[in-house]
Amino acid sequence: MKSYQETLSELLETIRVLVPNAGKVDEDTELVGSLGLDSMKVMNLLQEVEDRFDVSIPLNVLPDVRTVGDLARKIHQLLQEQ
Amino acid sequence: MTLLDKFEPLQQARERLRGLGIDPFNVVVEKILSPTEAIVDGRRVILAGTNNYLGLTFHPECIAAAVRAVEEEGCGTTGSRMANGNYADHLALEREFAQFYDKPYSVVFSAGYLANLALLSTLPGADDVILIDADCHASIYDGCKMSAAEVIRFRHNDVDDLDKRLRRLKDRARRTLVVVEGIYSMFGDTAPLKAIAEVKDRYGAYLMVDEAHSLGVLGERGRGLAEAEGVEDRVDFIVGTFSKSLGAIGGYCVSPHRVLDTLRYAARPYIFTASASPAQIASTRVALRLLRDGGELRRRLWANAERFYNGLKALGCRLGPQLSPVIPVILGESREESLAVWKELLEGGVYVNLVMPPATPDHRCLLRCSMSAAHTPEQIDTLLQVFAKVFSAHGMAAD
Ligand SMILES: Cc1ncc(COP(=O)(O)O)c(C=O)c1O
């Protein structure tokens, strides 16, 4: 089982590859605002992330996901439930 | 911040549109002349952006039935069927839908939008899953929001992605409702329904197909994509609308499952709104018969779609992935230029729908055009001439 820290660093690495000109990305980076992505691009990014972690992120949880850290926690939780 | 401040950006966007002289999202149709012509902004225009696929809105038999119903049953029903009772015509139309699809259960709703809300808000409950194609219509997304179920999207028309997501659900796949559309309303492409049915069967999931744009358009008898693909016995719920090929307003669902009939006692979008007016039901009953016997209308619709599609292609327009009566002309990312193109088309006597992100499937603007069986070949040629002129002026046409 991956730890939260492992999930987070894997997620950060994935985002850096997918959004190369995003600048500095860390746990507190906001997905919509700071990454320079509109909501549609965030949706596409999420699909890539889902493939990477082999997990489906339900739309219902997205209102609670603002930062990269929120997303990592959600993925970590979903992987544990699987 | 007050309650109202968040609307400021939207209000400013509207003001900018007003500067253009006409708001493409609030067009006034001063007079509707026929299924394919109207007076808009003082000008006679050809309508090539409706959903009037079979051109039935002015059919004399539909009009006569609606007039008779208004005279005999009044203008409105003033309440829901649960509270005010079922009119005989509503029940007759439900029987006719059941017969048309050869399914035991059928329910009519006051709109297609409400049919989707009713099914999706009620059928999948907490612990269940709704698995929707990412390009599904807003009414499907809204139904999902009303449901207590978990909502997951799969990539548009991507059967492998659907398969993967069902696999991840493990046992919960058997309490999952997969939702797709027959013809997608913006790009006009169809779902790979045979492969989708095969995958959902493999996992024991359920399948709902919204045939809003494919009813009357696809299939030998006009029943839609499920008929055309030969998978009708593997679809659990078919929903659709009267507002497109049937030329009225209302929605329906048919199913082999008795649960559909029970939803009348549970689905709030069925219970807490007035039932469709007598005129809507009466004209739809006639339109459904015309649609069922409408092989010739379908043939004309597809011939028109092909003529327009090929004409646009010859102009060098970027079109959707597949020939269908829904024909998107894909523009660029520039909203200003898209607005200008749309306005010049209108000034040239052509009315189509301008669609901008986030209502489009990607970041580009598009002109959503659609064909009707009622268009004449001459009208289509006129449409193409106007497109050629406007697109050349914008450097968007092939030489
Ligand atoms: C795919 C789809 N489903 C449902 C609807 C809603 O239908 P209605 O106009 O009857 O509310 C539409 C129409 O906009 C649609 O395109």
Side-chain angles (χ1 to χ4, degrees):
Chain A
M1 196 81 243
K2 267 182 212 134
S3 70
Y4 168 72
Q5 275 310 325
E6 284 166 331
T7 308
L8 176 65
S9 48
E10 206 174 316
L11 177 62
L12 285 168
E13 189 186 308
T14 310
I15 292 176
R16 284 186 196 114
V17 173
L18 293 172
V19 197
N21 42 12
K24 191 172 142 320
V25 185
D26 61 24
E27 196 171 0
D28 297 325
T29 306
E30 291 193 7
L31 289 167
V32 175
S34 349
L35 277 181
L37 301 179
D38 58 29
S39 55
M40 204 140 48
K41 294 212 178 89
V42 169
M43 281 299 174
N44 293 336
L45 172 80
L46 280 178
Q47 291 188 331
E48 300 295 334
V49 169
E50 287 176 304
D51 275 351
R52 171 73 194 248
F53 288 93
D54 196 22
V55 68
S56 291
I57 303 167
L59 293 187
N60 324 50
V61 309
L62 293 185
D64 300 328
V65 173
R66 264 187 45 241
T67 64
V68 172
D70 293 338
L71 184 58
R73 265 184 295 281
K74 213 19 121 183
I75 293 169
H76 180 61
Q77 183 195 334
L78 288 166
L79 288 173
Q80 275 185 326
E81 285 167 8
Q82 266 185 9
Chain B
M1 272 294 260
T2 71
L3 179 70
L4 310 180
D5 287 345
K6 58 180 168 297
F7 292 100
E8 200 43 48
L10 197 54
Q11 257 153 3
Q12 283 168 7
R14 272 197 82 173
E15 286 308 319
R16 283 195 299 277
L17 285 176
R18 204 163 293 156
L20 187 74
I22 180 165
D23 176 351
F25 309 111
N26 205 6
V27 163
V28 179
V29 177
E30 283 139 19
K31 188 165 170 42
I32 180 97
L33 303 169
S34 75
T36 58
E37 281 190 296
I39 308 285
V40 174
D41 214 21
R43 208 175 279 112
R44 198 180 180 100
V45 299
I46 300 175
L47 300 171
T50 69
N51 302 300
N52 204 347
Y53 300 120
L54 300 183
L56 295 182
T57 44
F58 280 84
H59 195 285
E61 286 180 57
C62 295
I63 291 175
V67 168
R68 206 177 321 116
V70 169
E71 283 171 355
E72 289 175 9
E73 298 173 58
C75 298
T77 60
T78 77
S80 102
R81 291 168 66 182
M82 185 178 255
N84 292 26
N86 293 291
Y87 283 37
D89 275 359
H90 288 70
L91 294 172
L93 180 57
E94 285 178 346
R95 275 196 304 278
E96 286 156 5
F97 266 112
Q99 277 162 8
F100 175 61
Y101 279 102
D102 198 16
K103 299 277 180 213
Y105 302 102
S106 148
V107 175
V108 304
F109 297 89
S110 304
Y113 182 76
L114 293 166
N116 276 333
L117 293 189
L119 268 287
L120 294 165
S121 66
T122 317
L123 200 59
D127 296 335
D128 298 334
V129 182
I130 313 176
L131 198 40
I132 64 172
D133 183 289
D135 279 8
C136 275
H137 187 255
S139 56
I140 292 172
Y141 275 90
D142 291 357
C144 289
K145 267 197 191 158
M146 283 173 72
S147 166
E150 197 170 289
V151 182
I152 296 171
R153 312 191 314 169
F154 64 94
R155 283 191 178 85
H156 175 54
N157 275 353
D158 186 334
V159 182
D160 290 337
D161 196 44
L162 173 64
D163 189 324
K164 202 159 51 185
R165 291 175 190 275
L166 281 166
R167 171 179 57 72
R168 287 175 193 151
L169 286 167
K170 303 201 176 94
D171 287 349
R172 291 172 76 214
R174 292 164 49 77
R175 30 196 326 169
T176 296
L177 181 66
V178 176
V179 186
V180 300
E181 294 179 21
I183 292 180
Y184 283 86
S185 54
M186 286 298 149
F187 270 0
D189 48 345
T190 55
L193 203 56
K194 223 181 254 169
I196 289 172
E198 199 270 312
V199 169
K200 72 94 193 175
D201 278 346
R202 189 143 39 79
Y203 289 95
Y206 292 79
L207 178 60
M208 168 170 151
V209 182
D210 182 342
E211 301 265 23
H213 294 270
S214 33
L215 169 71
V217 172
L218 292 174
E220 186 96 20
R221 279 153 297 186
R223 303 206 295 216
L225 182 65
E227 185 199 352
E229 293 282 303
V231 294
E232 284 179 297
D233 54 345
R234 296 158 82 183
V235 179
D236 297 282
F237 300 92
I238 288 181
V239 292
T241 171
F242 311 168
S243 74
K244 307 189 194 301
S245 53
L246 292 168
I249 293 184
Y252 66 92
C253 178
V254 297
S255 173
H257 302 293
R258 195 164 72 125
V259 159
L260 175 62
D261 207 45
T262 309
L263 286 191
R264 295 179 200 272
Y265 294 81
R268 300 170 71 89
Y270 175 85
I271 300 169
F272 294 103
T273 191
S275 60
S277 79
Q280 301 293 356
I281 298 289
S283 79
T284 301
R285 289 187 63 190
V286 175
L288 184 59
R289 175 171 53 75
L290 296 169
L291 181 153
R292 185 195 62 201
D293 302 335
E296 175 53 25
L297 287 175
R298 266 186 286 293
R299 199 198 52 72
R300 264 208 315 261
L301 169 65
W302 279 94
N304 286 345
E306 200 169 340
R307 188 183 189 94
F308 191 48
Y309 186 93
N310 288 339
L312 289 171
K313 207 155 88 182
L315 287 178
C317 293
R318 253 177 304 171
L319 303 176
Q322 191 176 335
L323 168 67
S324 99
V326 176
I327 303 174
V329 177
I330 298 156
L331 306 173
E333 292 188 32
S334 161
R335 287 169 188 254
E336 289 67 32
E337 175 150 62
S338 302
L339 279 164
V341 167
W342 177 84
K343 188 174 178 226
E344 286 163 37
L345 286 171
L346 187 69
E347 286 164 354
V350 171
Y351 180 76
V352 295
N353 308 128
L354 175 64
V355 193
M356 291 182 170
T360 54
D362 58 28
H363 48 279
R364 292 171 298 181
C365 301
L366 62 87
L367 296 170
R368 180 185 180 277
C369 310
S370 60
M371 283 288 106
S372 170
H375 283 118
T376 63
E378 293 73 31
Q379 282 179 317
I380 296 171
D381 294 344
T382 305
L383 291 171
L384 288 167
Q385 282 158 17
V386 178
F387 262 89
K389 192 163 147 248
V390 172
F391 274 53
S392 301
H394 284 266
M396 291 166 135
D399 294 321

